[in-house]
Amino acid sequence: MRADVRQVADGTYLVHGSNTNWVILTEGDAVTLVDTGYPGDREQVLASLADVGSSPEAVAAVLITHAHNDHLGSAEYLRATYGTPVHLHETEVPHARREFLHQVSVGTVLKNGWRPGVLPWVVHALRSGGTTHNPVTAPEPFPTAGALDLPGRPVPVHTPGHTDGHCAYHVPDTGVLISGDALVSGHPTSRIEGPQLLPDMFHHERPRALASLDLLAELEGEVLLPGHGPVHRGPVRDAAHRARELAL
């Protein structure tokens, strides 16, 4: 199955993989790839680059919102095969190396197996490599503060809670916010549509995840590109406020 590649702003593409999204920011021949889906999504990742007229050789860097396998999937492959640098928040770097793992446990998932959508999601996650050992050998913290010298000039925004080092990426020039799992617009285990927090079991520290919504609400933007769910258009501030209201 090919990924669904959609242009959502100038030089900006949201790609729907298998239950997880990634984003491609283009600038001439070069691109920035934000997240890389599950390990099992590799062919879709490579095909999505071709769909926007690019290639893995043209990826200037991979930016990771957080080091769960459904976002980290092909990062090590790109790094090892093409020499692509993989950048994360400094707090998330050891997580990407798998010095520890901030992820929902199998036991917790099983306790929630009665909830609608959970068991089909588990089956898909297992088949897609969601529980495989998939570290990045040499992840790197961001080289500078503020806007990164990469296609799109994304600005990392530390949004802890889902994991300690979770980062969103703000692209002020196009009014885009790549929110990762700090703010989503849907998930197979959720019956809610539109801006929301992921279900509680997925967050390492839910109070910090709630607080991070306040950080996102301060950002200017009209296009929300989440780690899960469709593009959401409208003020990022309103999306963050709605997610907080639903979570309380």
Side-chain angles (χ1 to χ4, degrees):
M1 183 181 71
R2 289 185 72 87
D4 178 15
V5 182
R6 302 193 181 194
Q7 184 169 4
V8 293
D10 289 344
T12 306
Y13 300 84
L14 178 65
V15 186
H16 299 288
S18 62
N19 287 356
T20 306
N21 302 332
W22 56 91
V23 176
I24 302 172
L25 305 175
T26 65
E27 186 176 291
D29 294 333
V31 304
T32 302
L33 179 61
V34 184
D35 286 344
T36 64
Y38 278 100
D41 291 341
R42 180 174 303 163
E43 292 306 315
Q44 295 184 59
V45 171
L46 299 178
S48 69
L49 292 170
D51 285 345
V52 304
S54 188
S55 67
E57 293 88 346
V59 179
V62 172
L63 302 180
I64 298 295
T65 58
H66 63 292
H68 286 161
N69 270 7
D70 59 333
H71 298 261
L72 198 66
S74 290
E76 175 63 12
Y77 167 79
L78 292 167
R79 189 205 66 79
T81 306
Y82 300 100
T84 313
V86 178
H87 294 296
L88 310 90
H89 188 272
E90 60 182 359
T91 306
E92 199 74 357
V93 166
H95 193 193
R97 287 196 296 255
R98 288 297 180 258
E99 295 177 16
F100 55 85
L101 184 60
H102 287 166
Q103 186 166 295
V104 61
S105 68
V106 173
T108 297
V109 171
L110 292 176
K111 288 178 183 177
N112 285 271
W114 60 272
R115 298 180 182 276
V118 170
L119 291 181
W121 170 78
V122 169
V123 171
H124 176 271
L126 292 172
R127 289 176 174 172
S128 301
T131 59
T132 60
H133 184 62
N134 186 45
V136 177
T137 304
E140 304 173 35
F142 304 123
T144 60
L148 301 175
D149 187 18
L150 293 169
R153 302 296 184 270
V155 181
V157 181
H158 186 208
T159 46
H162 185 65
T163 65
D164 284 350
H166 187 288
C167 255
Y169 296 94
H170 187 212
V171 188
D173 289 348
T174 52
V176 166
L177 175 66
I178 304 168
S179 57
D181 284 5
L183 174 60
V184 302
S185 62
H187 191 268
T189 64
S190 172
R191 302 282 75 90
I192 302 171
E193 295 182 359
Q196 60 188 280
L197 275 183
L198 284 170
D200 293 354
M201 67 176 176
F202 291 115
H203 299 298
H204 181 60
E205 291 184 82
R206 187 177 185 275
R208 295 181 79 194
L210 276 170
S212 285
L213 290 174
D214 296 334
L215 298 175
L216 296 178
E218 297 174 2
L219 302 175
E220 295 294 329
E222 296 284 335
V223 183
L224 176 69
L225 306 183
H228 303 274
V231 58
H232 177 80
R233 296 187 184 275
V236 168
R237 180 186 306 106
D238 293 350
H241 287 163
R242 178 184 189 266
R244 193 177 229 291
E245 289 170 2
L246 288 171
L248 294 177

